[in-house]
Amino acid sequence: MKNISNNIILAMLLLIQLTISSCRKVFLDEDIANNPKENFEYLWNDIKNRYSYLDYKGLDWNAIHDEYNAQIHDGMSQEELFSVLANMMNELKDGHVNLTSPFNLSIYFPITLNSPENYDGRVVLENYLLRNPDQYYITGPIQNSIFDTLGVKIGYIRYRSFSDQLKPSDVNYVVSRFNDENVDGVIIDVRSNGGGAVSNVFTFINRFVDSTRLAYISQIKTGPGAEDFGDDEMVYIQPVGSQQFNKRTALLTNRGSYSATSLFTLAARSLPYFKSIGDSTGGGLGAPTAAELPNGWTYRFSVTRTLSPQNDNWENGIPPDVLIDLDPVAEAAGYDNIVERGIQYIITGE
Amino acid sequence: MCEQNFVIICNHYFMKINFQSINSALIPTLSGRLLLTVAFLSLCSISYGQTLKAPSHFNHHDFSRLKDSSGRKIKGNVYLNIGPVFMEQSYKDFIVSPNTYISNGFMIPLLKLGLEKRFPTYYGYLNMLAGTQHLNDAPGYYYSDDRTNLLTFRINTSRTWQVKDFIGQRLRWSVGYLVNAEYTHRFNEKFQNAAYAYDIWSNAGLSNRLEYKFKLKTGERFLFVNFRNPEHKFLIGWQLGIPLAGAITRPNYAGIRHFANGAFLDNLYREMNANLTFTSLHNFVMLQSQIELLAPLANYNTLRIAYQWQAFRYNNSLAKLQGVAGGIEVSLAFKIDGRKVIDR
């Protein structure tokens, strides 16, 4: 009798635990079916709910659903599905929008390809950075040089990518160097700098700031509604480091100046001694998130929006103070007329 | 996969009952959750009532009222518990993916460290469980994608008091409380600016415990083991907990970690505060269950083999999260007090 009760109790307790364990599917939803239709719908819905510029872009997202849904069918190849989804995403005309699969990556190219490049790296290196080879330094990710023009001493900074980690000591050194050499002005060349880490924006710009200033306003998506954004977050720049450079500074931009570089440009607009010269930046002022489709492909798009202190939304590009394209004749002669325009600003203040 | 196997066995071979449909019908709906809450609270109320109504019944085995030969009240025993937990964890974090991420948990066990109190009239524990594992979803395993690094840090404490004994005091039913705190983060570089997902929550609720002690004749050699004594006492226990209220914080709806101000840690703390949410059964349903076998060792220490299972659903449409964790614990409980061992 005792053994029987032992067994019954043990069996009951085991049974209870098994029953509890069987609740797994009560707590975990079934995965969405991995088929073209479900992947398409998941992506379309996520963009509809979380993309921060849908209204700004003036798109009828429902109409886009109908247009691309008609191209989805069972049995389509992975490549065909990728093409449809990527084309749908490219309707957003946004460089922060990508679809990544094991075999392909979608990029929206027209932001840069529909405009002149306005940058010739060889001309910049040969005729400006290396004008006085002894003065050419590579300090961390910053190429920098000092040269004289018409008796005016110019400091030149070329920063190729905000993805290149910028240490405070790198910028401190360059600014100290320019101050020690008593340069009259600085050219910061961020053309074709496609962006990177936002933290580098502040590491860089805060060494060129004279006082705390409002750089821009950021808003984050907080819900699926078109205007579901959180409170305005005021983003400031402020003097950091033992020295700052506060003289005339020409900021050179082109359509390839994107994302973090646009944030840098927007922050620089709040400094009265900065002048942006060249073409509009490419924009990309929203911070992108990333997520995954049921089939494992990842995608990204912007989930924040950034406004200037005057509430301008320049997601499609920040206009320069001086709009000027690279002159191919000057370029062929070894001159960059955008750089020359920057030198002119430093000399004349105009 | 372990639980799934249990489900299959349970559903198709032993029980012939579809538990999932029963539970699906009961728990996810508001009325189901209310019913479950009412039923559980009723059970606890009845238990409490039973305690009040039957003092004489308890007197003869209420050790807390007994004195030893020197007149001191008999206390219980305290054990230090340490050992690995071979746990499989599953997550669905809808901020970054609709897919279930499952750990290959049997590769990297979590470490459990705990204090266990076995007193004449109550049982209590304070456990810490920590470790890292790797997760991936089915497409991720297929494509050999970057794995998610999962960090788990969990603290559970509970105390249950004796309500009633059955079967000649061999089966004991006790009821009490539990308190949980958990920090989990999942890092996957493939999600770029959404690579860092976390959930931090704490909650408290009710706990229900059944303990059954039994003896095994061990006078003969068993495999390669020669037992010293002719019989050994074992104890099997099952504890079920349902948290009722607490708080949770999750990443923002957008899921991002780097904002336009470039201040990572400040943003992280700000988001944790901004997304702190009160939870109760309307938005956070959780179940904890554990079945354990305690076997005697020398020097009054104990071998503990347990199957732990925990599941939750955070039903916030903006940051929905679901998780299930189940695993086998094999640990040693070292008696760390100098008192005589009580029967329980």
Side-chain angles (χ1 to χ4, degrees):
Chain A
M1 183 63 193
K2 189 174 173 181
N3 284 338
I4 291 171
S5 68
N6 274 356
N7 293 338
I8 290 172
I9 295 291
L10 290 173
M12 280 180 62
L13 289 177
L14 279 170
L15 203 58
I16 289 167
Q17 180 67 3
L18 288 172
T19 308
I20 296 294
S21 301
S22 75
C23 295
R24 177 189 173 89
K25 289 188 178 177
V26 174
F27 289 89
L28 286 179
D29 289 350
E30 286 279 346
D31 281 356
I32 296 172
N34 179 11
N35 59 48
K37 175 70 175 166
E38 293 294 345
N39 282 294
F40 168 78
E41 293 292 345
Y42 190 86
L43 179 61
W44 182 85
N45 269 305
D46 202 20
I47 292 172
K48 175 174 175 283
N49 293 337
R50 293 202 296 170
Y51 182 57
S52 53
Y53 289 110
L54 213 49
D55 273 10
Y56 174 78
K57 303 274 178 173
L59 293 168
D60 181 349
W61 199 239
N62 291 319
I64 286 175
H65 176 276
D66 295 342
E67 179 186 344
Y68 286 93
N69 187 37
Q71 301 173 39
I72 298 289
H73 56 87
D74 287 339
M76 66 194 302
S77 68
Q78 296 289 290
E79 291 79 6
E80 288 169 331
L81 177 63
F82 185 91
S83 176
V84 173
L85 299 184
N87 289 339
M88 179 178 76
M89 296 181 83
N90 282 338
E91 296 280 1
L92 300 172
K93 298 179 172 54
D94 190 329
H96 272 157
V97 169
N98 305 100
L99 178 65
T100 307
S101 75
F103 54 85
N104 203 355
L105 165 70
S106 77
I107 299 173
Y108 183 69
F109 285 111
I111 289 173
T112 50
L113 295 186
N114 284 355
S115 306
E117 187 175 9
N118 286 329
Y119 176 69
D120 185 330
R122 181 154 180 165
V123 168
V124 167
L125 182 64
E126 284 185 349
N127 294 344
Y128 298 96
L129 287 169
L130 289 175
R131 182 176 294 184
N132 184 353
D134 290 341
Q135 290 289 342
Y136 176 61
Y137 285 32
I138 301 173
T139 311
I142 303 173
Q143 297 168 272
N144 58 98
S145 187
I146 297 171
F147 56 83
D148 289 308
T149 298
L150 302 173
V152 174
K153 204 176 262 189
I154 307 287
Y156 198 107
I157 289 176
R158 168 67 186 156
Y159 188 27
R160 191 179 58 86
S161 171
F162 277 94
S163 296
D164 297 338
Q165 183 59 46
L166 191 61
K167 290 185 290 190
S169 59
D170 298 335
V171 202
N172 286 343
Y173 180 83
V174 175
V175 166
S176 299
R177 181 184 176 213
F178 288 168
N179 282 333
D180 292 347
E181 294 285 338
N182 199 24
V183 301
D184 295 294
V186 168
I187 292 172
I188 299 176
D189 189 347
V190 289
R191 288 176 293 177
S192 301
N193 180 330
V198 180
S199 56
N200 287 334
V201 169
F202 296 91
T203 304
F204 197 164
I205 195 90
N206 282 339
R207 270 76 185 177
F208 291 83
V209 178
D210 57 349
S211 60
T212 300
R213 294 169 185 273
L214 178 61
Y216 46 79
I217 301 161
S218 178
Q219 299 169 333
I220 188 168
K221 202 79 165 54
T222 55
E227 283 303 314
D228 286 346
F229 285 92
D231 296 336
D232 287 356
E233 186 198 343
M234 305 297 176
V235 180
Y236 294 92
I237 51 176
Q238 57 192 342
V240 172
S242 57
Q243 291 187 41
Q244 293 81 40
F245 187 87
N246 303 140
K247 297 179 188 173
R248 287 175 190 157
T249 304
L251 178 64
L252 311 187
T253 58
N254 66 358
R255 292 290 286 165
S257 306
Y258 196 75
S259 189
T261 313
S262 286
L263 291 175
F264 182 85
T265 306
L266 189 54
R269 285 181 71 95
S270 65
L271 300 170
Y273 42 89
F274 263 69
K275 194 172 283 290
S276 56
I277 297 167
D279 202 349
S280 295
T281 70
L285 291 163
T289 191
E292 184 179 38
L293 292 176
N295 66 2
W297 298 353
T298 53
Y299 57 92
R300 68 172 194 157
F301 54 73
S302 295
V303 287
T304 70
R305 64 184 180 193
T306 305
L307 306 173
S308 76
Q310 294 75 36
N311 281 319
D312 303 299
N313 189 339
W314 283 321
E315 168 60 17
N316 288 333
I318 301 167
D321 296 317
V322 178
L323 179 62
I324 181 173
D325 283 336
L326 187 64
D327 179 358
V329 177
E331 184 185 2
Y335 286 96
D336 183 327
N337 58 304
I338 299 174
V339 177
E340 297 297 332
R341 183 65 183 82
I343 294 170
Q344 182 191 332
Y345 165 65
I346 291 169
I347 295 173
T348 67
E350 297 296 328
Chain B
M1 303 308 288
C2 184
E3 292 91 2
Q4 285 174 337
N5 292 339
F6 279 132
V7 173
I8 292 166
I9 291 166
C10 205
N11 286 345
H12 298 285
Y13 294 99
F14 288 119
M15 298 300 295
K16 301 287 186 188
I17 296 171
N18 190 340
F19 290 106
Q20 287 154 25
S21 49
I22 293 171
N23 291 314
S24 300
L26 185 66
I27 294 179
T29 62
L30 181 63
S31 56
R33 289 198 294 270
L34 283 173
L35 185 65
L36 196 69
T37 310
V38 170
F40 195 79
L41 290 174
S42 305
L43 192 66
C44 295
S45 304
I46 293 166
S47 309
Y48 185 60
Q50 289 290 318
T51 311
L52 291 179
K53 282 193 292 187
S56 60
H57 175 77
F58 284 127
N59 276 348
H60 73 281
H61 51 87
D62 183 353
F63 291 92
S64 64
R65 297 185 185 180
L66 296 180
K67 306 268 195 295
D68 63 13
S69 55
S70 60
R72 288 176 304 188
K73 193 166 77 173
I74 295 176
K75 291 186 175 180
N77 305 116
V78 182
Y79 297 86
L80 175 68
N81 199 246
I82 186 166
V85 181
F86 299 89
M87 183 168 280
E88 181 194 78
Q89 303 193 72
S90 304
Y91 278 94
K92 277 177 97 80
D93 188 341
F94 288 80
I95 287 177
V96 290
S97 175
N99 298 337
T100 307
Y101 276 69
I102 302 174
S103 66
N104 47 355
F106 287 91
M107 302 295 286
I108 309 174
L110 306 181
L111 178 67
K112 179 195 165 179
L113 192 63
L115 276 178
E116 192 177 351
K117 292 178 91 172
R118 298 191 160 273
F119 275 54
T121 56
Y122 73 84
Y123 168 81
Y125 62 78
L126 171 66
N127 290 333
M128 284 188 296
L129 187 70
T132 60
Q133 292 187 321
H134 297 300
L135 306 175
N136 222 329
D137 60 350
Y141 280 119
Y142 181 76
Y143 293 127
S144 300
D145 275 356
D146 291 339
R147 296 178 299 183
T148 294
N149 292 315
L150 169 72
L151 172 68
T152 304
F153 184 75
R154 187 189 294 175
I155 297 177
N156 309 104
T157 185
S158 170
R159 185 170 289 193
T160 55
W161 286 269
Q162 166 194 8
V163 174
K164 194 173 176 64
D165 283 357
F166 304 92
I167 317 177
Q169 299 182 32
R170 282 193 291 140
L171 180 65
R172 173 171 291 183
W173 174 31
S174 41
V175 172
Y177 68 85
L178 61 86
V179 178
N180 303 306
E182 185 162 329
Y183 165 72
T184 306
H185 86 228
R186 296 170 295 285
F187 184 83
N188 191 327
E189 199 60 66
K190 79 177 178 184
F191 292 123
Q192 303 179 30
N193 201 14
Y196 180 70
Y198 58 86
D199 51 283
I200 303 169
W201 45 263
S202 179
N203 53 36
L206 298 171
S207 197
N208 185 60
R209 182 177 176 83
L210 288 175
E211 273 185 2
Y212 182 71
K213 61 178 181 180
F214 59 97
K215 295 174 186 172
L216 287 184
K217 300 290 183 192
T218 52
E220 296 174 2
R221 179 188 173 93
F222 177 73
L223 296 177
F224 55 88
V225 182
N226 277 319
F227 288 98
R228 189 178 296 171
N229 299 318
E231 65 176 24
H232 281 88
K233 293 176 182 175
F234 291 79
L235 190 142
I236 188 165
W238 173 62
Q239 188 157 347
L240 177 71
I242 300 181
L244 299 175
I248 186 172
T249 184
R250 297 263 297 124
N252 52 66
Y253 174 66
I256 58 174
R257 57 179 175 146
H258 290 298
F259 292 71
N261 62 3
F264 176 67
L265 281 179
D266 288 347
N267 291 329
L268 182 64
Y269 298 144
R270 183 196 65 204
E271 290 298 310
M272 284 178 175
N273 282 327
N275 294 295
L276 187 64
T277 308
F278 171 77
T279 58
S280 65
L281 290 176
H282 74 287
N283 61 355
F284 194 94
V285 183
M286 184 174 175
L287 207 56
Q288 287 178 317
S289 178
Q290 174 170 286
I291 186 162
E292 62 195 4
L293 173 70
L294 301 185
L297 297 174
N299 301 319
Y300 306 109
N301 299 324
T302 312
L303 171 69
R304 175 191 170 89
I305 300 170
Y307 179 70
Q308 309 180 357
W309 189 85
Q310 170 182 301
F312 67 92
R313 285 177 72 102
Y314 178 43
N315 294 322
N316 177 341
S317 62
L318 301 179
K320 200 159 84 170
L321 178 72
Q322 300 165 356
V324 174
I328 293 170
E329 171 194 338
V330 182
S331 63
L332 297 174
F334 299 99
K335 183 173 172 293
I336 57 173
D337 64 89
R339 295 186 286 270
K340 186 181 174 186
V341 177
I342 62 166
D343 196 24
R344 279 274 166 193

